[in-house]
């Protein structure tokens, strides 16, 4: 199979920067579409920091970092992705925004062989696919953060995803990026978050009820259960707004009480206490 060499990434937050990083490290030409000139600057800084961590961890040399950075370019115009051979959508977890992006990409990228992949962590792929005229080329390719370090990717094909998109995405993720793949059915939250989110929400309810504070909950799970990070610190790392979006999507689809976002999470999101990215969540970050 001829692998895509020109990669597009829409969005350059934490996940978009990570996807761009691993693609550039793999020797690919990466073009990132950001929302504004200011977002370009922030995105460039995120990619540079991500690759810098790779150097510090001994995963690539300074020369390899510089070569990879040279393969990354930015634009504020989606139409500049018209020549891409594979496009990853990595905008915030907002269904209306993602639908808009897919509708625009469908008009811009005319080649039906180009796969449009969403990094959504909660929205059913078939909804995004229906925003296009070629739903057979839309697939979920859900990376985990930090993208350069975590080896797993969830592939999520909808009922309308074609065999070409399935095969292209699977081959690219495994053969080009060197990731491990698991396949999930196309339902809200997919496989990993359907397991993870109730655990995180349970920890939040424990703090909300006064049963234990965040530090105690996290210490219990790291020291007592051998988890590398506690549930509340993990929620802070994911972003409490993202956790809330995923939980809301799961609850909307499955209507199970344990999936409903607890009031403490709703108030923190409303107050802008989103975790590590804002400096304060269940823990404080300097």
């Amino acid at each position: 199979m001829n692998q895509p060499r020109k990669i597009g990434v829409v969005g350059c937050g934490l996940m978009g920067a990570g996807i761009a990083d691993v693609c550039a490290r793999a020797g690919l030409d990466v073009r990132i579409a950001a929302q504004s000139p200011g977002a370009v600057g922030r995105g460039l800084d995120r990619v540079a920091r991500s690759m810098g961590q790779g150097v510090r961890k001994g995963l690539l040399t300074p020369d390899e970092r510089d070569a990879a950075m040279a393969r990354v370019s930015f634009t504020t115009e989606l139409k500049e992705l018209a020549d891409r051979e594979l496009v990853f959508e990595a905008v915030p977890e907002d269904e209306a925004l993602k639908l808009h992006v897919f509708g625009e990409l469908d008009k811009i990228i005319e080649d039906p062989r180009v796969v449009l992949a969403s990094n959504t962590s909660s929205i059913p792929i078939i909804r995004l696919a229906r925003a296009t005229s070629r739903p057979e080329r839309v697939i979920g390719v859900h990376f985990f953060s930090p993208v350069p370090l975590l080896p797993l990717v969830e592939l999520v094909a909808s009922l309308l995803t074609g065999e070409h998109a399935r095969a292209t995405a699977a081959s690219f993720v495994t053969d080009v990026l060197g990731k491990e793949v698991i396949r999930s059915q196309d339902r809200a939250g997919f496989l990993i978050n359907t397991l993870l989110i109730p655990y995180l929400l349970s920890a939040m309810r424990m703090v909300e009820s006064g049963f234990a504070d965040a530090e105690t909950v996290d210490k219990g799970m790291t020291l007592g259960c051998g988890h590398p990070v506690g549930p509340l610190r993990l929620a802070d790392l994911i972003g409490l707004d993202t956790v809330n979006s995923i939980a809301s999507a799961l609850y909307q689809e499955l209507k199970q009480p344990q999936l409903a976002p607890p009031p403490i999470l709703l108030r923190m999101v409303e107050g802008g206490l989103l975790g590590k990215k804002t400096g304060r969540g269940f823990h404080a970050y300097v």
Side-chain angles (χ1 to χ4, degrees), residues 15-174:
M15 297 305 295
I19 295 168
D21 178 343
V22 296
C23 290
R25 289 193 204 187
L28 306 176
D29 172 7
V30 181
R31 184 171 299 150
I32 302 170
Q35 187 176 26
S36 66
V40 167
R42 292 189 295 273
L44 179 60
D45 183 59
R46 287 190 188 99
V47 176
R49 287 202 311 268
S50 179
M51 292 192 184
Q53 281 190 324
V55 172
R56 288 190 292 275
K57 292 179 180 294
L59 301 176
L60 70 166
T61 67
D63 286 345
E64 289 170 336
R65 173 201 58 201
D66 294 344
M69 285 297 300
R71 289 190 284 268
V72 178
S73 60
F74 285 83
T75 180
T76 57
E77 300 288 339
L78 275 180
K79 64 184 180 182
E80 295 297 324
L81 302 184
D83 67 338
R84 300 292 94 179
E85 298 168 344
L86 171 62
V87 178
F88 292 101
E89 170 275 308
V91 301
E93 197 70 1
D94 178 291
E95 185 169 340
L97 176 59
K98 289 181 184 287
L99 290 171
H100 172 73
V101 168
F102 273 93
E104 291 301 305
L105 288 174
D106 184 57
K107 291 182 285 188
I108 291 164
I109 302 175
E110 298 180 354
D111 187 342
R113 297 168 298 177
V114 176
V115 174
L116 305 181
S118 177
N119 186 58
T120 180
S121 52
S122 64
I123 300 168
I125 300 304
I126 201 165
R127 294 185 196 166
L128 304 179
R130 289 297 303 276
T132 76
S133 63
R134 303 180 186 93
E136 67 276 5
R137 66 172 174 165
V138 178
I139 191 168
V141 182
H142 179 213
F143 293 84
F144 294 85
S145 182
V147 177
L149 297 180
L150 293 190
L152 187 69
V153 173
E154 277 185 312
L155 287 187
V156 187
S158 82
L159 294 172
L160 301 177
T161 302
E163 185 54 40
H164 172 73
R166 295 170 189 250
T168 298
S171 177
F172 182 82
V173 167
T174 56

Side-chain angles (χ1 to χ4, degrees), residues 231-252:
L232 298 170
R233 196 168 294 277
L234 177 57
D236 281 350
L237 291 173
I238 295 169
L240 299 185
D241 51 341
T242 300
V243 173
N244 181 54
S245 294
I246 299 170
S248 298
L250 282 166
Y251 182 71
Q252 180 182 8

Side-chain angles (χ1 to χ4, degrees), residues 209-224:
S209 70
F211 188 87
D213 62 21
E215 194 66 41
T216 300
V217 170
D218 281 349
K219 184 180 292 185
M221 297 309 294
T222 55
L223 300 184

